[in-house]
Amino acid sequence: MNHVLLASAAPIIPKSLLGNPDSYACERANRLFCWGWLSRNWGSVLWPALRQHVVITLIAVGLGFAIASSLAVLAHRYRRVEQPVVVVTTIFYTIPALALFEILVAVPGFGLSLTTAETALVSYTLLIIFRNTLTGLREVPADVREAAAGMGMSRWQVLARVELPLALPAIIAGVRIATVSTIALATIAALIVNEGLGVPILTAISESTFKTELIAAGVLAVALAVAADALLVGLQRLMTPWARAT
Amino acid sequence: MALSLDESAVVRDGSPALPSAAALELRAVEKRYPGQRRPALAALSLLVPAGEVCVLVGPSGSGKTTAMRLINRMIPLSGGDILIGGRSILDSTPTELRRQIGYVIQQVGLFPHHTVRQNIATVPRLLGWERRRIDARVDELLELVGLDHDELGRRYPSQLSGGQQQRVGVARALAADPPLLLMDEPFGAIDPINRTRLQDEFLRLQERVRKTVVFVTHDIDEAIKMGDRIAVLREGGHLAQFATPAELLSSPADQFVADFVGADRALKRLGLVRLADVELDPPDQWPQPDERLPLDTTAREALARMLSAGGAPLGVADEHGSVVGIVTIALIGRLFSRVEDGRPPESRRGPPPEPNR
């Protein structure tokens, strides 16, 4: 936080470091990447930003999943629910991210807050998770559904014990895309709230571009996306052992 | 093999005790779909005694699958009533009712995400049996359908052959020892060789479990083989004839049934007669033939074997291999005329022999 405030005044090199110029030759020359800067700023800048980014993403995907999968279950049972949900979530999905953030900031009660950022991020996850979950549920083979009902499962039992487990690969595929795109989008949230990897990125580009910070934060965002995706793939393999059985 | 399948010792949790097989009665059952002038099923009445296999057979559009799905309320009745063991199916909720009726469908419908054991345990779990009882029951059923080897129970359905999947489907349907079993073209998607094997296996299994079975097929040969009674349905869901296989073949009720069972119905009747039930020529009347047939060979198969052997008589041997009689084409011919007369030779319908007897 402290760094951010300083950075807004003197974006490239923090004032406190100016007393010992030789140690900062790399930063002053603004070379492509300064390892010294990285080691000095990891604990104060990058690591907190990364942690905030993870939390922002978890909240957005978690809420998005809860909302979108519930809507998908509803649309699976009541077909007429599908069309309005698709229309609304598609509109959310197609509004340019920057525009959506600006619109939400103007809404009374939102303003420059985490709520605003999360609302925007959640709205981008809805379409993909909704679509994938609904497709997964609908692709459960008719004979499996027939057998489940024919053996005396209630509708909810068919859903919980048969349809949702069988839709898992499609559901997780949707969550993967939503997670990766949320990690990317969440950098823009720094425009609204001083949190996440977007903060060092904005700092780095605010006047003349400070390459090291830009690259470090950018690489972290990409690495986070790759790691999250790998984690979800692992989760899917754990949860669907039957899908690998041949 | 200790089986509790046909014993009243089977105790159920939470549901009234049921007999291991129950009579099924369809009373003027009717099914109409909205927007269609003609009913899919018109006033169908059938009585299936407990422990018998009733085959519903007919061309497509004859309502045979509709009739079956009315029984477990997969589709609602439009009129009439159905009684299982004297109780109307409308007395219980559809889910309660279905947990007491075994259901086997053509595409099997095994749960891909459950192992074989979990699939078989489906209804016992729905009924809230305790774990140990379920495990014991699953072991029993795996043995009953011949899948109690190679850890097959731990596999997923995708790792099984079509025939094995259908066996699991049958085991799953029998899991809670239901008094009634519904089978909708259960062997329709299986290749001919395995279909014959599964049919034979099912008849042997039925000898042991003695369930009341409703079996839907469009294949008249399968109907004759599997049924204690056959209901022939015609388009529009009208019952053309309800009779034993022998009656159906010897005296079809009308031209529709005669056409449906086929011009070779006399030959088909021979398929219901086993050499054990026929008065064979004494062994000393003919020179000892090289080829010997087991006693449970059907007259139809014996005829085919003799024709392919150039018409020569064949020996018939008991299980010890000693020749007990001789079968000739002339003898089958005499049988034929009796069949055509409509006087059925003593025919004992029983399960086919164990393969390696």
Side-chain angles (χ1 to χ4, degrees):
Chain A
M1 258 334 174
N2 197 25
H3 164 83
V4 171
L5 293 173
L6 278 171
S8 50
I12 298 177
I13 304 162
K15 273 177 191 156
S16 59
L17 302 176
L18 290 173
N20 190 359
D22 284 334
S23 310
Y24 306 102
C26 175
E27 282 93 331
R28 270 204 308 279
N30 198 4
R31 300 209 183 99
L32 190 61
F33 198 79
C34 305
W35 288 100
W37 184 89
L38 183 73
S39 61
R40 276 192 298 275
N41 293 279
W42 174 263
S44 58
V45 179
L46 294 173
W47 175 241
L50 180 63
R51 279 197 347 237
Q52 290 158 1
H53 209 88
V54 169
V55 172
I56 291 171
T57 306
L58 280 178
I59 293 173
V61 176
L63 280 177
F65 176 73
I67 297 168
S69 57
S70 308
L71 287 171
V73 165
L74 214 61
H76 178 53
R77 186 147 175 191
Y78 306 102
R79 223 162 226 286
R80 63 177 184 280
V81 174
E82 182 187 359
Q83 195 62 25
V85 173
V86 167
V87 169
V88 172
T89 55
T90 306
I91 290 172
F92 278 140
Y93 193 73
T94 42
I95 297 177
L98 278 172
L100 184 59
F101 281 116
E102 292 307 320
I103 294 166
L104 280 173
V105 167
V107 173
F110 281 82
L112 292 172
S113 67
L114 190 62
T115 313
T116 307
E118 292 291 5
T119 305
L121 291 174
V122 164
S123 65
Y124 281 104
T125 65
L126 296 179
L127 179 65
I128 188 79
I129 297 177
F130 175 78
R131 273 265 163 93
N132 270 45
T133 305
L134 187 58
T135 305
L137 290 172
R138 288 198 175 145
E139 278 178 357
V140 171
D143 57 297
V144 171
R145 213 174 272 132
E146 162 97 7
M151 281 188 296
M153 286 191 192
S154 66
R155 286 188 89 156
W156 288 111
Q157 283 170 330
V158 174
L159 179 73
R161 299 188 185 193
V162 179
E163 291 177 323
L164 280 173
L166 286 176
L168 261 184
I171 294 171
I172 296 181
V175 171
R176 281 174 60 193
I177 300 172
T179 303
V180 169
S181 61
T182 300
I183 289 172
L185 270 178
T187 55
I188 306 178
L191 287 169
I192 299 172
V193 59
N194 259 330
E195 286 189 40
L197 288 166
V199 175
I201 290 174
L202 280 182
T203 306
I205 62 174
S206 54
E207 282 182 24
S208 59
T209 304
F210 177 35
K211 291 174 191 158
T212 301
E213 188 169 20
L214 179 63
I215 291 172
V219 166
L220 275 180
V222 172
L224 179 62
V226 171
D229 198 50
L231 206 71
L232 285 166
V233 171
L235 186 71
Q236 189 199 326
R237 287 173 71 91
L238 262 174
M239 291 177 80
T240 60
W242 48 273
R244 277 173 292 137
T246 43
Chain B
M1 196 189 307
L3 277 173
S4 59
L5 284 168
D6 49 354
E7 268 145 40
S8 50
V10 177
V11 188
R12 272 175 202 78
D13 302 336
S15 59
L18 291 164
S20 99
L24 170 72
E25 188 179 356
L26 275 66
R27 282 189 188 160
V29 164
E30 197 178 274
K31 180 64 195 175
R32 287 171 187 279
Y33 288 103
Q36 285 180 10
R37 262 186 306 133
R38 298 169 124 207
L41 211 59
L44 177 64
S45 294
L46 289 178
L47 179 63
V48 186
E52 284 201 1
V53 178
C54 170
V55 178
L56 303 178
V57 69
S60 42
S62 60
K64 52 193 191 298
T65 295
T66 302
M68 164 171 287
R69 288 163 58 85
L70 287 170
I71 297 170
N72 63 354
R73 296 182 67 181
M74 292 300 279
I75 45 178
L77 274 173
S78 307
D81 199 359
I82 298 175
L83 299 108
I84 300 171
R87 266 187 74 195
S88 167
I89 59 166
L90 300 170
D91 287 352
S92 26
T93 65
T95 53
E96 279 169 4
L97 176 78
R98 291 172 196 159
R99 289 172 192 180
Q100 298 169 359
I101 298 176
Y103 193 37
V104 182
I105 56 177
Q106 181 178 348
Q107 311 84 347
V108 197
L110 294 182
F111 302 140
H113 61 306
H114 283 177
T115 62
V116 167
R117 293 191 70 95
Q118 289 172 319
N119 264 287
I120 295 174
T122 303
V123 180
R125 277 184 55 202
L126 287 171
L127 293 172
W129 289 16
E130 52 183 83
R131 212 198 142 118
R132 288 209 343 244
R133 187 169 161 219
I134 293 178
D135 282 345
R137 181 61 179 162
V138 171
D139 287 337
E140 196 176 60
L141 285 157
L142 282 171
E143 193 184 356
L144 185 74
V145 298
L147 293 176
D148 52 336
H149 55 87
D150 295 340
E151 310 226 308
L152 278 169
R154 289 194 203 160
R155 295 203 194 161
Y156 289 102
S158 63
Q159 297 170 305
L160 303 181
S161 70
Q164 286 172 329
Q165 288 183 15
Q166 196 49 271
R167 286 182 187 95
V168 176
V170 172
R172 182 172 70 170
L174 288 170
D177 198 24
L180 175 66
L181 196 57
L182 306 180
M183 306 180 84
D184 189 2
E185 305 211 21
F187 312 129
I190 311 272
D191 65 87
I193 290 171
N194 277 303
R195 187 185 309 147
T196 306
R197 188 176 298 157
L198 283 169
Q199 288 169 342
D200 293 346
E201 265 176 30
F202 182 75
L203 286 174
R204 274 199 296 279
L205 187 133
Q206 168 64 3
E207 274 298 299
R208 287 164 63 184
V209 301
R210 283 272 162 226
K211 294 292 168 196
T212 309
V213 179
V214 176
F215 190 111
V216 165
T217 181
H218 59 265
D219 176 356
I220 186 66
D221 292 309
E222 185 170 60
I224 291 165
K225 178 172 180 178
M226 305 305 285
D228 293 308
R229 275 156 215 269
I230 299 173
V232 184
L233 297 173
R234 77 170 97 214
E235 278 92 348
H238 298 281
L239 183 63
Q241 189 167 7
F242 185 45
T244 64
E247 283 165 14
L248 198 69
L249 292 169
S250 60
S251 38
D254 56 21
Q255 198 55 42
F256 170 80
V257 178
D259 290 344
F260 195 76
V261 298
D264 59 344
R265 60 192 168 91
L267 214 49
K268 280 177 180 146
R269 283 213 63 194
L270 287 178
L272 296 175
V273 181
R274 301 199 178 275
L275 293 182
D277 308 320
V278 173
E279 205 180 303
L280 299 165
D281 289 351
D284 48 15
Q285 208 175 318
W286 295 88
Q288 281 281 10
D290 296 334
E291 211 182 330
R292 286 166 198 184
L293 302 170
L295 267 171
D296 46 40
T297 310
T298 65
R300 184 176 181 169
E301 199 188 330
L303 180 64
R305 296 284 287 272
M306 281 186 288
L307 289 174
S308 59
L314 297 177
V316 180
D318 61 15
E319 59 258 53
H320 309 296
S322 45
V323 175
V324 294
I326 303 290
V327 61
T328 66
I329 288 187
L331 187 146
I332 300 286
R334 289 200 296 280
L335 210 55
F336 227 114
S337 54
R338 285 171 64 197
V339 166
E340 283 294 76
D341 286 347
R343 284 187 296 119
E346 265 308 295
S347 138
R348 240 194 351 249
R349 284 180 50 76
E354 296 283 345
N356 51 0
R357 195 163 75 188

